[in-house]
Amino acid sequence: MDILKNRDRLVLWIFCVIFFVYQYGLETSIPNVLNEEFRRHYSVGPREWGDMVSVFFGTYTAMQIPVGILIDKAINPKIIALSAFFCMFCGTMLLVLSRNKTVGFLAQAIMGLGGSVSFVLLLKLSIAYFQREKATLVSGIATACGCCGPILIGTTLAYFSRQHAWENAVICVGSFGFLSFLVLAFVVDGKKTSFAVAAAEKGVTSQYIIASLGEIFSNRKAYQQFILAGIFSMMLLGAENAFCCAWGIPFLQLFYGINKLEATSAINAVFVGFAIGCPLAAWVSVKINSYKKAMIIGSAITFCLMTAIIFHKTNFLILTVLSFLFGLFGSCQFLAFPCAISSAPKNLEATVSGLVNTFTMLGGTLLIPIVGHMADHSSSTSILEDPYTAGDYQRGFIVVLASLLISFAASCFIDDISPRESKTNPNPNPNP
């Protein structure tokens, strides 16, 4: 069935894209654009703030496989989308309205719970609602749309932070989740959006979970592909998250001597590059008939660009160009998902996506607090004025460069699977 002829499926897919934009915008803007504001809000330094932010990524990571199994088992995707919007709204409100550190950690966990479904659900819907030969490109376009979130939300919050009204701005942005929840609840018929799954396959049981994981790991060659794709994605996106979602803006302000709005613009250039690069990477991989080659080239160039940004001080124009190229070539991280899914059974596509995304988000979970700990040379837990230097952040970014090197190494060992109709998956997903 053509998705354009099924209004409810089309609207649900669009809302999932909107949620990805919304979630990704909050995920990146709150810890990075409002880094200093929230550290003052909770009276913490980089070390404790990094730990708090890592709770979001940790929860997001822990939920990937459970979420993938729930989606594959035909739990109504509308219900999952509604739950995601509501969790992001509640978590955002708690984070900005409370100054209690324990509540702050809880708020990050709730936001991570809601955000955990965004990419896996969107990827599953793209595969289920579109023809397989279009799914990679559609997924790339959807991922590119997600990069608009940091640009729109990040710029908005950076502007309002200069006007001393950042709390109200966060509340307004967070409330968008509740409005979307209400609209989605009434405009989409959940009965028309469910996946076609046999009755015998419905219901999530412990036996099914064990059987699903057993099926994934029963094929040694396939699970090695999943693991390597996950490591590649984890190390590459983890490096990007540490820089773009937490520590990039304060570092750029100190090292390049620019204000917050300019630093935010430079980070936004990364997301613009990533947005253009995702569908471009999908297109290039199809043209050269290789995921592996695109991943090797992209990760190698990304390492060189990150090194230049961190250690070679230049003017704002060149910094913006380097940031854009960093996002453009770093977008090859997206290819880890179709590369892994090409080796997955049809009924476990979302589960495999969740498995790979578990690795992926583990990168940010680990690297963000590690950079914060390495940058923090003070035992003080309060922060009235930022006492940290560009050198402190550079010390932490050494871990980021090491992560990019590991991603390059992993890409060299991945099997070179064709982006065209995969021979490793004998049961390609038919067009619904």
Side-chain angles (χ1 to χ4, degrees):
M1 181 185 295
D2 189 343
I3 188 175
L4 296 178
K5 298 178 182 178
N6 189 320
R7 184 193 72 87
D8 293 279
R9 286 191 170 193
L10 179 60
V11 173
L12 179 62
W13 185 82
I14 291 173
F15 263 93
C16 287
V17 174
I18 291 173
F19 178 72
F20 190 36
V21 174
Y22 168 69
Q23 174 265 320
Y24 196 29
L26 289 176
E27 170 191 329
T28 56
S29 301
I30 285 178
N32 202 358
V33 176
L34 299 179
N35 188 300
E36 294 180 18
E37 285 77 8
F38 269 106
R39 278 157 52 190
R40 291 190 177 95
H41 185 74
Y42 284 101
S43 298
V44 297
R47 178 180 302 182
E48 202 163 358
W49 176 239
D51 291 339
M52 189 179 293
V53 172
S54 72
V55 171
F56 172 93
F57 289 94
T59 306
Y60 191 119
T61 301
M63 288 301 299
Q64 290 309 290
I65 292 178
V67 162
I69 292 174
L70 286 171
I71 294 172
D72 275 332
K73 292 297 288 181
I75 301 298
N76 195 305
K78 176 188 173 181
I79 295 175
I80 295 176
L82 285 172
S83 301
F85 271 116
F86 191 72
C87 284
M88 286 299 296
F89 162 71
C90 292
T92 305
M93 294 300 103
L94 279 177
L95 189 68
V96 74
L97 294 177
S98 174
R99 292 179 180 269
N100 183 281
K101 296 175 187 177
T102 302
V103 175
F105 278 93
L106 176 62
Q108 291 282 11
I110 295 174
M111 292 174 66
L113 182 64
S116 65
V117 309
S118 60
F119 185 73
V120 176
L121 180 59
L122 183 56
L123 199 59
K124 178 66 177 183
L125 292 181
S126 298
I127 293 171
Y129 291 172
F130 294 88
Q131 294 178 344
R132 179 171 288 274
E133 59 268 23
K134 298 178 181 178
T136 299
L137 183 59
V138 168
S139 300
I141 293 173
T143 304
C145 291
C147 295
C148 296
I151 297 170
L152 296 173
I153 296 177
T155 302
T156 299
L157 294 181
Y159 172 78
F160 278 102
S161 69
R162 299 179 65 188
Q163 306 300 315
H164 308 291
W166 66 270
E167 295 97 335
N168 293 334
V170 174
I171 291 172
C172 289
V173 171
S175 298
F176 175 80
F178 186 68
L179 294 176
S180 299
F181 169 87
L182 293 177
V183 174
L184 178 59
F186 290 103
V187 302
V188 173
D189 183 352
K191 295 179 180 179
K192 297 180 180 179
T193 59
S194 297
F195 307 125
V197 176
E201 296 180 356
K202 293 190 176 184
V204 179
T205 64
S206 58
Q207 291 85 354
Y208 174 79
I209 294 174
I210 294 173
S212 297
L213 296 177
E215 186 173 352
I216 289 176
F217 291 103
S218 61
N219 185 327
R220 181 178 179 182
K221 186 175 181 180
Y223 84 70
Q224 285 180 344
Q225 185 78 351
F226 306 153
I227 299 293
L228 286 171
I231 292 174
F232 169 82
S233 184
M234 173 178 69
M235 292 294 112
L236 185 50
L237 191 65
E240 292 175 344
N241 281 340
F243 186 75
C244 297
C245 300
W247 307 115
I249 289 178
F251 166 73
L252 294 179
Q253 287 181 265
L254 292 169
F255 188 59
Y256 288 89
I258 56 181
N259 61 43
K260 177 171 289 189
L261 202 55
E262 290 173 326
T264 302
S265 298
I267 294 296
N268 284 345
V270 178
F271 294 115
V272 172
F274 203 90
I276 295 174
C278 284
L280 182 62
W283 179 81
V284 168
S285 66
V286 171
K287 281 296 181 181
I288 65 176
N289 197 28
S290 172
Y291 290 123
K292 180 175 182 176
K293 293 176 184 177
M295 293 161 76
I296 289 175
I297 295 172
S299 58
I301 296 177
T302 301
F303 171 81
C304 297
L305 290 167
M306 185 81 271
T307 303
I309 292 172
I310 293 174
F311 294 109
H312 182 66
K313 186 176 181 178
T314 183
N315 61 52
F316 179 70
L317 177 60
I318 296 178
L319 169 64
T320 304
V321 173
L322 290 174
S323 298
F324 171 80
L325 293 175
F326 175 67
L328 185 72
F329 286 98
S331 65
C332 68
Q333 172 271 333
F334 162 76
L335 297 177
F337 291 91
C339 182
I341 291 173
S342 295
S343 300
K346 172 190 169 184
N347 65 313
L348 295 175
E349 288 166 329
T351 305
V352 168
S353 299
L355 174 66
V356 175
N357 215 26
T358 298
F359 280 92
T360 300
M361 298 311 297
L362 188 60
T365 304
L366 296 175
L367 288 182
I368 288 177
I370 288 175
V371 172
H373 280 247
M374 293 185 68
D376 194 353
H377 55 73
S378 171
S379 60
S380 174
T381 57
S382 63
I383 174 86
L384 297 178
E385 298 295 335
D386 197 336
Y388 303 95
T389 67
D392 294 328
Y393 290 110
Q394 285 175 326
R395 183 170 62 248
F397 287 143
I398 294 296
V399 180
V400 169
L401 295 178
S403 179
L404 290 173
L405 284 177
I406 295 173
S407 73
F408 171 77
S411 68
C412 295
F413 290 97
I414 289 175
D415 287 340
D416 198 1
I417 294 179
S418 169
R420 296 161 191 169
E421 194 68 37
S422 175
K423 295 180 180 180
T424 61
N425 188 353
N427 298 307
N429 189 32
N431 186 30

